[in-house]
Short mmCIF file of all heavy atoms in Angstrom, two decimals:
data_model
loop_
_atom_site.label_atom_id
_atom_site.label_comp_id
_atom_site.label_asym_id
_atom_site.label_seq_id
_atom_site.Cartn_x
_atom_site.Cartn_y
_atom_site.Cartn_z
N PHE R 98 21.17 -11.98 -23.89
CA PHE R 98 19.92 -11.66 -24.58
C PHE R 98 19.94 -12.12 -25.97
O PHE R 98 18.90 -12.53 -26.47
CB PHE R 98 19.66 -10.15 -24.49
CG PHE R 98 18.27 -9.73 -24.86
CD1 PHE R 98 17.23 -9.99 -24.00
CD2 PHE R 98 18.02 -9.09 -26.07
CE1 PHE R 98 15.97 -9.65 -24.34
CE2 PHE R 98 16.73 -8.69 -26.40
CZ PHE R 98 15.66 -9.01 -25.55
N LEU R 102 17.10 -14.41 -27.78
CA LEU R 102 16.45 -14.01 -29.03
C LEU R 102 16.59 -15.13 -30.08
O LEU R 102 15.63 -15.47 -30.75
CB LEU R 102 17.15 -12.81 -29.62
CG LEU R 102 16.78 -11.42 -29.10
CD1 LEU R 102 17.46 -10.33 -29.88
CD2 LEU R 102 15.24 -11.25 -29.17
N LEU R 106 13.31 -16.82 -31.59
CA LEU R 106 13.07 -16.64 -33.04
C LEU R 106 13.63 -17.83 -33.88
O LEU R 106 14.09 -17.62 -34.99
CB LEU R 106 13.61 -15.31 -33.53
CG LEU R 106 12.94 -14.09 -32.89
CD1 LEU R 106 13.71 -12.83 -33.18
CD2 LEU R 106 11.50 -13.96 -33.41
N LEU R 166 11.79 -0.11 -24.33
CA LEU R 166 12.53 -1.09 -25.09
C LEU R 166 12.02 -2.51 -24.87
O LEU R 166 11.89 -3.33 -25.76
CB LEU R 166 14.01 -1.05 -24.72
CG LEU R 166 15.08 -1.67 -25.62
CD1 LEU R 166 14.91 -1.18 -27.04
CD2 LEU R 166 16.47 -1.41 -25.12
N ILE R 168 8.95 -3.35 -23.89
CA ILE R 168 7.65 -3.47 -24.47
C ILE R 168 7.76 -3.63 -25.98
O ILE R 168 7.05 -4.45 -26.61
CB ILE R 168 6.78 -2.20 -24.14
CG1 ILE R 168 6.39 -2.25 -22.66
CG2 ILE R 168 5.51 -2.13 -25.00
CD1 ILE R 168 5.79 -0.93 -22.15
N GLN R 169 8.62 -2.85 -26.57
CA GLN R 169 8.80 -2.98 -28.01
C GLN R 169 9.31 -4.35 -28.40
O GLN R 169 8.88 -4.96 -29.40
CB GLN R 169 9.73 -1.86 -28.48
CG GLN R 169 9.15 -0.48 -28.38
CD GLN R 169 10.17 0.65 -28.39
OE1 GLN R 169 11.40 0.44 -28.26
NE2 GLN R 169 9.68 1.87 -28.58
N SER R 170 10.26 -4.85 -27.62
CA SER R 170 10.83 -6.15 -27.95
C SER R 170 9.80 -7.28 -27.82
O SER R 170 9.64 -8.11 -28.67
CB SER R 170 12.02 -6.45 -27.06
OG SER R 170 12.99 -5.42 -27.14
N ILE R 171 9.08 -7.19 -26.74
CA ILE R 171 8.07 -8.22 -26.44
C ILE R 171 6.99 -8.21 -27.58
O ILE R 171 6.58 -9.29 -28.08
CB ILE R 171 7.41 -8.04 -25.07
CG1 ILE R 171 8.45 -8.28 -23.99
CG2 ILE R 171 6.23 -8.94 -24.89
CD1 ILE R 171 7.98 -7.78 -22.63
N SER R 172 6.54 -7.00 -27.94
CA SER R 172 5.52 -6.90 -28.98
C SER R 172 6.03 -7.58 -30.26
O SER R 172 5.28 -8.33 -30.88
CB SER R 172 5.19 -5.45 -29.18
OG SER R 172 4.59 -4.88 -28.05
N ALA R 173 7.19 -7.21 -30.63
CA ALA R 173 7.78 -7.73 -31.90
C ALA R 173 7.92 -9.21 -31.84
O ALA R 173 7.65 -9.90 -32.81
CB ALA R 173 9.09 -7.02 -32.19
N LEU R 174 8.33 -9.71 -30.70
CA LEU R 174 8.58 -11.14 -30.56
C LEU R 174 7.29 -11.95 -30.64
O LEU R 174 7.15 -12.90 -31.38
CB LEU R 174 9.35 -11.48 -29.22
CG LEU R 174 10.77 -11.11 -29.17
CD1 LEU R 174 11.32 -11.30 -27.77
CD2 LEU R 174 11.55 -11.89 -30.19
N GLY R 177 5.75 -11.43 -34.09
CA GLY R 177 6.59 -12.10 -35.13
C GLY R 177 6.39 -13.63 -35.04
O GLY R 177 6.30 -14.28 -36.10
N GLU R 192 12.08 -15.56 -43.41
CA GLU R 192 12.12 -14.12 -43.68
C GLU R 192 11.51 -13.32 -42.48
O GLU R 192 12.10 -12.32 -42.10
CB GLU R 192 11.21 -13.82 -44.92
CG GLU R 192 11.27 -12.38 -45.42
CD GLU R 192 10.32 -12.09 -46.51
OE1 GLU R 192 9.39 -12.92 -46.74
OE2 GLU R 192 10.45 -11.07 -47.17
N ILE R 193 10.46 -13.88 -41.90
CA ILE R 193 9.86 -13.18 -40.74
C ILE R 193 10.80 -13.25 -39.56
O ILE R 193 11.04 -12.21 -38.88
CB ILE R 193 8.50 -13.85 -40.46
CG1 ILE R 193 7.50 -13.55 -41.55
CG2 ILE R 193 7.99 -13.35 -39.07
CD1 ILE R 193 6.29 -14.43 -41.52
N LEU R 194 11.34 -14.40 -39.26
CA LEU R 194 12.20 -14.57 -38.11
C LEU R 194 13.42 -13.66 -38.22
O LEU R 194 13.83 -12.97 -37.26
CB LEU R 194 12.68 -16.00 -37.94
CG LEU R 194 11.58 -17.06 -37.67
CD1 LEU R 194 12.09 -18.45 -37.63
CD2 LEU R 194 10.85 -16.70 -36.38
N THR R 195 13.98 -13.54 -39.45
CA THR R 195 15.16 -12.68 -39.67
C THR R 195 14.79 -11.22 -39.48
O THR R 195 15.50 -10.44 -38.86
CB THR R 195 15.73 -12.89 -41.05
OG1 THR R 195 16.05 -14.27 -41.18
CG2 THR R 195 16.98 -12.04 -41.29
N ALA R 196 13.68 -10.82 -40.04
CA ALA R 196 13.24 -9.43 -40.00
C ALA R 196 13.11 -9.03 -38.54
O ALA R 196 13.52 -7.90 -38.16
CB ALA R 196 11.97 -9.21 -40.79
N VAL R 197 12.39 -9.89 -37.77
CA VAL R 197 12.21 -9.49 -36.34
C VAL R 197 13.51 -9.52 -35.55
O VAL R 197 13.72 -8.63 -34.70
CB VAL R 197 11.16 -10.47 -35.69
CG1 VAL R 197 11.01 -10.19 -34.22
CG2 VAL R 197 9.83 -10.33 -36.38
N LYS R 198 14.40 -10.45 -35.89
CA LYS R 198 15.67 -10.46 -35.25
C LYS R 198 16.45 -9.12 -35.51
O LYS R 198 17.02 -8.53 -34.66
CB LYS R 198 16.48 -11.68 -35.71
CG LYS R 198 17.42 -12.27 -34.70
CD LYS R 198 18.06 -13.56 -35.20
CE LYS R 198 16.97 -14.67 -35.43
NZ LYS R 198 17.58 -15.90 -35.94
N ASP R 199 16.42 -8.76 -36.77
CA ASP R 199 17.03 -7.50 -37.21
C ASP R 199 16.47 -6.32 -36.44
O ASP R 199 17.17 -5.40 -36.01
CB ASP R 199 16.88 -7.28 -38.69
CG ASP R 199 17.81 -8.27 -39.50
OD1 ASP R 199 18.64 -8.95 -38.83
OD2 ASP R 199 17.65 -8.33 -40.73
N LEU R 200 15.16 -6.29 -36.36
CA LEU R 200 14.47 -5.19 -35.74
C LEU R 200 14.98 -5.03 -34.25
O LEU R 200 15.34 -3.94 -33.83
CB LEU R 200 12.95 -5.43 -35.73
CG LEU R 200 12.14 -4.49 -34.82
CD1 LEU R 200 12.29 -3.05 -35.27
CD2 LEU R 200 10.62 -4.87 -34.86
N ILE R 201 14.96 -6.14 -33.54
CA ILE R 201 15.33 -6.03 -32.11
C ILE R 201 16.80 -5.72 -31.97
O ILE R 201 17.22 -4.97 -31.10
CB ILE R 201 14.88 -7.27 -31.38
CG1 ILE R 201 13.39 -7.41 -31.45
CG2 ILE R 201 15.35 -7.21 -29.91
CD1 ILE R 201 12.83 -8.59 -30.77
N GLY R 202 17.62 -6.25 -32.88
CA GLY R 202 19.05 -5.96 -32.86
C GLY R 202 19.31 -4.43 -33.04
O GLY R 202 20.03 -3.81 -32.31
N ALA R 203 18.57 -3.86 -33.99
CA ALA R 203 18.69 -2.44 -34.28
C ALA R 203 18.22 -1.62 -33.11
O ALA R 203 18.84 -0.64 -32.70
CB ALA R 203 17.89 -2.12 -35.54
N LEU R 204 17.12 -2.05 -32.53
CA LEU R 204 16.58 -1.36 -31.38
C LEU R 204 17.57 -1.23 -30.24
O LEU R 204 17.68 -0.15 -29.63
CB LEU R 204 15.41 -2.23 -30.81
CG LEU R 204 13.99 -1.75 -31.12
CD1 LEU R 204 13.01 -2.65 -30.40
CD2 LEU R 204 13.76 -0.32 -30.75
N ARG R 205 18.26 -2.30 -29.95
CA ARG R 205 19.17 -2.32 -28.83
C ARG R 205 20.39 -1.52 -29.03
O ARG R 205 20.96 -0.93 -28.14
CB ARG R 205 19.57 -3.79 -28.50
CG ARG R 205 18.52 -4.59 -27.80
CD ARG R 205 18.69 -6.04 -28.00
NE ARG R 205 19.85 -6.52 -27.24
CZ ARG R 205 20.64 -7.51 -27.60
NH1 ARG R 205 20.43 -8.09 -28.79
NH2 ARG R 205 21.62 -7.92 -26.86
N SER R 206 20.85 -1.40 -30.33
CA SER R 206 22.07 -0.71 -30.57
C SER R 206 21.81 0.75 -30.90
O SER R 206 22.72 1.58 -30.99
CB SER R 206 22.83 -1.36 -31.72
OG SER R 206 22.02 -1.32 -32.87
N ALA R 207 20.51 1.09 -31.16
CA ALA R 207 20.19 2.46 -31.55
C ALA R 207 20.33 3.44 -30.38
O ALA R 207 20.26 3.03 -29.21
CB ALA R 207 18.78 2.50 -32.08
N LEU R 211 15.76 6.81 -30.18
CA LEU R 211 14.79 5.98 -30.90
C LEU R 211 13.65 5.57 -29.99
O LEU R 211 12.53 5.51 -30.38
CB LEU R 211 15.50 4.74 -31.43
CG LEU R 211 14.64 3.83 -32.35
CD1 LEU R 211 15.45 3.35 -33.49
CD2 LEU R 211 13.99 2.66 -31.56
N ALA U 152 10.83 -6.16 -45.37
CA ALA U 152 11.28 -6.39 -44.01
C ALA U 152 10.59 -5.35 -43.07
O ALA U 152 10.10 -5.73 -42.02
CB ALA U 152 12.81 -6.19 -43.90
N LEU U 153 10.52 -4.13 -43.59
CA LEU U 153 9.82 -3.06 -42.77
C LEU U 153 8.35 -3.44 -42.58
O LEU U 153 7.81 -3.24 -41.46
CB LEU U 153 9.93 -1.82 -43.59
CG LEU U 153 9.65 -0.50 -42.87
CD1 LEU U 153 10.50 -0.34 -41.65
CD2 LEU U 153 9.80 0.66 -43.84
N ALA U 154 7.77 -4.05 -43.57
CA ALA U 154 6.33 -4.47 -43.45
C ALA U 154 6.23 -5.53 -42.40
O ALA U 154 5.38 -5.44 -41.49
CB ALA U 154 5.84 -5.01 -44.78
N ILE U 155 7.07 -6.53 -42.43
CA ILE U 155 7.03 -7.66 -41.48
C ILE U 155 7.30 -7.14 -40.07
O ILE U 155 6.60 -7.52 -39.11
CB ILE U 155 8.04 -8.70 -41.84
CG1 ILE U 155 7.60 -9.42 -43.17
CG2 ILE U 155 8.23 -9.74 -40.73
CD1 ILE U 155 8.64 -10.31 -43.76
N GLN U 156 8.23 -6.24 -39.91
CA GLN U 156 8.53 -5.69 -38.62
C GLN U 156 7.38 -4.87 -38.05
O GLN U 156 7.03 -5.05 -36.82
CB GLN U 156 9.79 -4.82 -38.72
CG GLN U 156 11.06 -5.70 -39.03
CD GLN U 156 12.22 -4.86 -39.49
OE1 GLN U 156 12.03 -3.68 -39.91
NE2 GLN U 156 13.41 -5.46 -39.52
N SER U 157 6.78 -4.11 -38.91
CA SER U 157 5.61 -3.27 -38.46
C SER U 157 4.48 -4.18 -38.05
O SER U 157 3.85 -3.96 -37.00
CB SER U 157 5.20 -2.35 -39.56
OG SER U 157 6.25 -1.55 -39.97
N ILE U 158 4.13 -5.14 -38.89
CA ILE U 158 3.01 -5.96 -38.58
C ILE U 158 3.25 -6.76 -37.29
O ILE U 158 2.34 -6.86 -36.45
CB ILE U 158 2.77 -6.98 -39.72
CG1 ILE U 158 2.38 -6.24 -40.99
CG2 ILE U 158 1.74 -8.06 -39.35
CD1 ILE U 158 2.42 -7.06 -42.27
N SER U 159 4.45 -7.31 -37.13
CA SER U 159 4.73 -8.02 -35.93
C SER U 159 4.54 -7.16 -34.67
O SER U 159 3.91 -7.56 -33.66
CB SER U 159 6.17 -8.56 -35.95
OG SER U 159 6.36 -9.45 -36.98
N ALA U 160 5.11 -5.98 -34.73
CA ALA U 160 4.99 -5.06 -33.60
C ALA U 160 3.52 -4.68 -33.32
O ALA U 160 3.10 -4.60 -32.19
CB ALA U 160 5.83 -3.82 -33.82
N LEU U 161 2.76 -4.46 -34.39
CA LEU U 161 1.37 -4.07 -34.21
C LEU U 161 0.56 -5.19 -33.61
O LEU U 161 -0.17 -4.95 -32.62
CB LEU U 161 0.78 -3.69 -35.58
CG LEU U 161 1.26 -2.34 -36.14
CD1 LEU U 161 0.70 -2.10 -37.52
CD2 LEU U 161 0.82 -1.20 -35.22
N VAL U 184 4.95 1.19 -28.92
CA VAL U 184 4.83 0.53 -30.19
C VAL U 184 4.75 1.66 -31.33
O VAL U 184 5.37 1.46 -32.38
CB VAL U 184 3.69 -0.46 -30.26
CG1 VAL U 184 3.50 -1.01 -31.74
CG2 VAL U 184 3.86 -1.58 -29.31
N ASP U 186 5.99 4.57 -31.17
CA ASP U 186 7.36 5.13 -31.28
C ASP U 186 8.28 4.21 -32.06
O ASP U 186 9.07 4.63 -32.93
CB ASP U 186 7.99 5.34 -29.86
CG ASP U 186 7.35 6.48 -29.17
OD1 ASP U 186 6.61 7.25 -29.82
OD2 ASP U 186 7.61 6.63 -27.91
N LEU U 187 8.11 2.90 -31.77
CA LEU U 187 9.00 1.93 -32.48
C LEU U 187 8.79 2.02 -33.96
O LEU U 187 9.75 2.11 -34.76
CB LEU U 187 8.66 0.49 -31.99
CG LEU U 187 9.20 -0.66 -32.84
CD1 LEU U 187 10.74 -0.58 -32.84
CD2 LEU U 187 8.72 -1.96 -32.35
N ILE U 188 7.50 2.04 -34.38
CA ILE U 188 7.28 2.00 -35.86
C ILE U 188 7.67 3.37 -36.45
O ILE U 188 8.17 3.43 -37.63
CB ILE U 188 5.82 1.62 -36.11
CG1 ILE U 188 5.57 0.22 -35.63
CG2 ILE U 188 5.52 1.68 -37.64
CD1 ILE U 188 4.21 -0.30 -35.78
N GLY U 189 7.42 4.43 -35.73
CA GLY U 189 7.88 5.70 -36.21
C GLY U 189 9.35 5.72 -36.43
O GLY U 189 9.82 6.19 -37.51
N ALA U 190 10.10 5.22 -35.50
CA ALA U 190 11.56 5.22 -35.60
C ALA U 190 11.96 4.35 -36.80
O ALA U 190 12.85 4.69 -37.61
CB ALA U 190 12.19 4.69 -34.35
N LEU U 191 11.35 3.20 -36.92
CA LEU U 191 11.62 2.29 -38.05
C LEU U 191 11.53 2.96 -39.37
O LEU U 191 12.40 2.79 -40.28
CB LEU U 191 10.62 1.14 -38.01
CG LEU U 191 10.99 -0.18 -37.47
CD1 LEU U 191 9.80 -1.15 -37.67
CD2 LEU U 191 12.23 -0.70 -38.14
N ARG U 192 10.45 3.69 -39.54
CA ARG U 192 10.19 4.29 -40.84
C ARG U 192 11.19 5.43 -41.19
O ARG U 192 11.48 5.66 -42.38
CB ARG U 192 8.76 4.88 -40.89
CG ARG U 192 7.73 3.79 -41.07
CD ARG U 192 6.37 4.25 -40.61
NE ARG U 192 5.86 5.23 -41.53
CZ ARG U 192 5.00 6.24 -41.14
NH1 ARG U 192 4.78 6.37 -39.87
NH2 ARG U 192 4.55 7.06 -42.05
N ALA U 194 14.22 5.66 -39.89
CA ALA U 194 15.63 5.24 -39.77
C ALA U 194 16.25 5.01 -41.14
O ALA U 194 15.56 4.70 -42.10
CB ALA U 194 15.68 3.94 -38.90
N THR U 197 19.70 0.93 -43.30
CA THR U 197 20.66 0.00 -42.74
C THR U 197 19.99 -0.68 -41.49
O THR U 197 20.45 -1.77 -41.09
CB THR U 197 21.94 0.68 -42.28
OG1 THR U 197 21.60 1.61 -41.25
CG2 THR U 197 22.58 1.38 -43.42
N LEU U 198 19.04 -0.02 -40.92
CA LEU U 198 18.39 -0.62 -39.76
C LEU U 198 17.62 -1.85 -40.23
O LEU U 198 17.54 -2.80 -39.51
CB LEU U 198 17.43 0.37 -39.09
CG LEU U 198 16.75 -0.10 -37.82
CD1 LEU U 198 16.74 1.00 -36.81
CD2 LEU U 198 15.37 -0.57 -38.06
#
Side-chain angles (χ1 to χ4, degrees):
Chain R
F98 195 70
L102 279 185
L106 294 169
L166 196 55
I168 290 169
Q169 292 162 345
S170 303
I171 294 167
S172 298
L174 287 174
E192 186 187 15
I193 293 166
L194 296 178
T195 303
V197 175
K198 213 172 295 178
D199 288 350
L200 169 60
I201 298 180
L204 257 185
R205 285 158 72 212
S206 62
L211 185 138
Chain U
L153 196 55
I155 291 169
Q156 293 163 345
S157 303
I158 294 168
S159 298
L161 287 174
V184 174
D186 289 350
L187 168 61
I188 298 180
L191 256 185
R192 284 159 71 211
T197 63
L198 186 137

